Amino acid sequence: MRSLIYALATLVPLVVAPAAAQAEPVGEPLTTLRMAAQLRNIPIGASVDENALRDDADYAAVLVREFSVLTPENSMKFDAVHARPFRYSFDAGDKVLAFAEEHRMEVHGHVLVWHEQLPNWLTKAQWTPEKLRTVLREHIYRVVGHYRGRIKAWDVVSEAIDDNGEMRKTFWLEGLGPEYVALAFQWAHEADPNAQLIYNDYGAEGGGRKSDAIFRLMQDLRTRGVPVHGVGLQAHLSVDEVPNPQEVRANMERLQALGLMVYITEMDVSLKLPVTPTKLDEQALVYRDMMNTCLSAPNCKGFTLWGFTDRYSWIPEFFPGRGAALVFDEQMQPKPSYRALIEVLAGH
Ligand code: G3I
């Protein structure tokens, strides 16, 4: 194994020479993230923009070449699958899953209980707690049940803790009280007893109030026997504000002590535009540190980016003036951050 890794490492500088890139727009690297990650036994993922997958052949080709796990960016969210009461539409999610299966990739289910992208029929109505429980239970049963056996890990609850470490005041908290978190995990487990069930949040990779609150929430759920199996550290990072790798490692360790896996679920590293070579190098360091930390933690079981190319990313829409957060640029050429990930995976 060791010699294979070193052999891989020697190929790294040859990844996509500029001349080759002109002749072949997508590039033909001699190793890929997918190959390098496979050698380290770490699933490497990207979220998928369903429209890009349908319309952009380069996008689909790079996705298959570089990644082994896909997270549907929007197509399994509540408003996408359950836009009307009692009516479910799995078409968009099914397409992502079919694409993944065709290319021997896994799908990471995203997301059953979140406070965004909820349909108006749900949020604008008045519900008794009993009725709302029934709605959420039925939603989870239907969605997890539809993909039972084919989706092995689900983000069950996302972002239930706010930046002060309190329960986030959401539609779900207001309608069901704090117990909605445990109920959601219980229902997801009933719908697919073999699925890995994940609590997923941002801004809690290292230490701090939010990360401590998530730890306490997980401790409580585990103590009560609630079927939660992992924590997703989203890792929406910025080159200007980077979590300390030792703190991230310590956080992973304390979650391991609770018997939990951790996953990097949505990593991107935004920067203030315009792009400069220095900023790209700083960005590469952030990716490198996070991959290193994940590889060093025995319970870190997956590393997923939120997108993979700057051609499609949520950042410019949500944070005007920022962008370039991913590992391929808008021309689908690998950036220093891509090479940093390959180097770390190859043992450098
Ligand atoms: O569905 C409509 C479509 O009908 C319309 O034509 C189009 C026009 O702009 O908008 C579409 O909705 C957009 C939706 O993505 C689907 O493309 C929304 O405007 C847009 O706000 C929404 O953004 C998504 C965002 O979640 C919602 O908060 C991003 O793509 C997605 O990357 C982002 O992902 C979240 C994770 O799920 C959870 N963690 C944080 C992460 C980043 O916010």
Side-chain angles (χ1 to χ4, degrees):
M1 169 65 86
R2 242 178 129 73
S3 59
L4 258 178
I5 290 170
Y6 287 128
L8 248 182
T10 61
L11 298 176
V12 167
L14 300 178
V15 172
V16 190
Q22 273 178 7
E24 169 50 74
V26 176
E28 287 299 334
L30 295 177
T31 187
T32 67
L33 277 179
R34 188 173 178 171
M35 287 156 58
Q38 193 178 7
L39 286 175
R40 299 300 295 268
N41 207 18
I42 181 95
I44 180 106
S47 73
V48 179
D49 176 324
E50 301 77 17
N51 297 330
L53 186 62
R54 184 191 56 221
D55 299 336
D56 183 338
D58 280 1
Y59 180 93
V62 176
L63 202 53
V64 168
R65 191 185 73 202
E66 301 290 345
F67 299 97
S68 58
V69 183
L70 303 181
T71 304
E73 187 173 356
N74 289 299
S75 54
M76 291 183 187
K77 288 176 176 171
F78 205 118
D79 67 347
V81 296
H82 197 175
R84 285 182 293 155
F86 305 110
R87 301 294 289 273
Y88 290 81
S89 164
F90 294 110
D91 293 357
D94 287 355
K95 280 188 187 134
V96 173
L97 184 60
F99 178 85
E101 288 176 342
E102 184 186 344
H103 298 286
R104 302 182 323 283
M105 303 155 111
E106 298 286 344
V107 166
H108 181 103
H110 178 81
V111 47
L112 300 171
V113 186
W114 191 36
H115 58 282
E116 290 189 30
Q117 291 170 292
L118 297 173
N120 285 341
W121 69 261
L122 178 67
T123 54
K124 301 281 188 258
Q126 295 294 323
W127 301 97
T128 64
E130 292 69 32
K131 286 227 165 82
L132 190 56
R133 266 173 77 118
T134 307
V135 169
L136 183 57
R137 187 178 58 213
E138 189 235 15
H139 176 82
I140 291 175
Y141 279 0
R142 286 292 299 269
V143 179
V144 176
H146 181 79
Y147 292 110
R148 183 180 167 127
R150 292 171 80 194
I151 290 191
K152 300 199 180 87
W154 274 100
D155 293 333
V156 176
V157 176
S158 266
E159 301 168 24
I161 301 292
D162 70 16
D163 295 343
N164 297 317
E166 306 294 330
M167 287 295 288
R168 186 185 292 278
K169 300 203 175 17
T170 68
F171 172 76
W172 298 116
L173 183 70
E174 277 158 23
L176 294 171
E179 197 54 14
Y180 83 88
V181 175
L183 289 170
F185 280 99
Q186 187 56 44
W187 292 328
H189 184 64
E190 286 163 13
D192 185 349
N194 294 320
Q196 288 289 306
L197 304 180
I198 294 165
Y199 175 81
N200 182 45
D201 214 326
Y202 66 87
E205 292 76 24
R209 251 192 304 192
K210 185 168 182 174
S211 149
D212 290 349
I214 291 169
F215 176 75
R216 285 194 301 272
L217 174 64
M218 294 302 113
Q219 198 170 35
D220 174 59
L221 295 175
R222 295 287 293 174
T223 306
R224 292 162 54 202
V226 174
V228 53
H229 308 116
V231 171
L233 306 174
Q234 292 185 10
H236 289 295
L237 305 179
S238 140
V239 288
D240 315 306
E241 207 185 326
V242 176
N244 174 317
Q246 279 84 39
E247 284 185 19
V248 177
R249 178 62 212 258
N251 193 29
M252 290 177 173
E253 271 172 27
R254 70 174 172 172
L255 292 167
Q256 182 174 25
L258 295 180
L260 291 167
M261 306 298 148
V262 295
Y263 302 81
I264 303 301
T265 48
E266 306 187 11
M267 186 159 180
D268 49 21
V269 183
S270 71
L271 47 85
K272 189 169 180 301
L273 299 172
V275 172
T276 65
T278 307
K279 290 180 200 172
L280 291 182
D281 287 343
E282 287 168 6
Q283 180 182 57
L285 204 58
V286 183
Y287 276 101
R288 171 190 295 273
D289 281 348
M290 191 57 89
M291 179 60 90
N292 245 327
T293 306
C294 176
L295 289 175
S296 75
N299 61 329
C300 187
K301 298 295 182 188
F303 194 100
T304 286
L305 312 180
W306 207 240
F308 60 93
T309 164
D310 296 335
R311 196 181 288 180
Y312 308 98
S313 162
W314 70 293
I315 298 283
E317 180 192 336
F318 285 74
F319 301 103
R322 301 190 66 85
L326 292 159
V327 300
F328 287 85
D329 67 16
E330 291 183 25
Q331 281 69 48
M332 219 53 101
Q333 295 304 310
K335 294 161 64 178
S337 47
Y338 172 88
R339 285 183 279 274
L341 287 180
I342 295 237
E343 283 169 17
V344 174
L345 287 165
H348 280 220

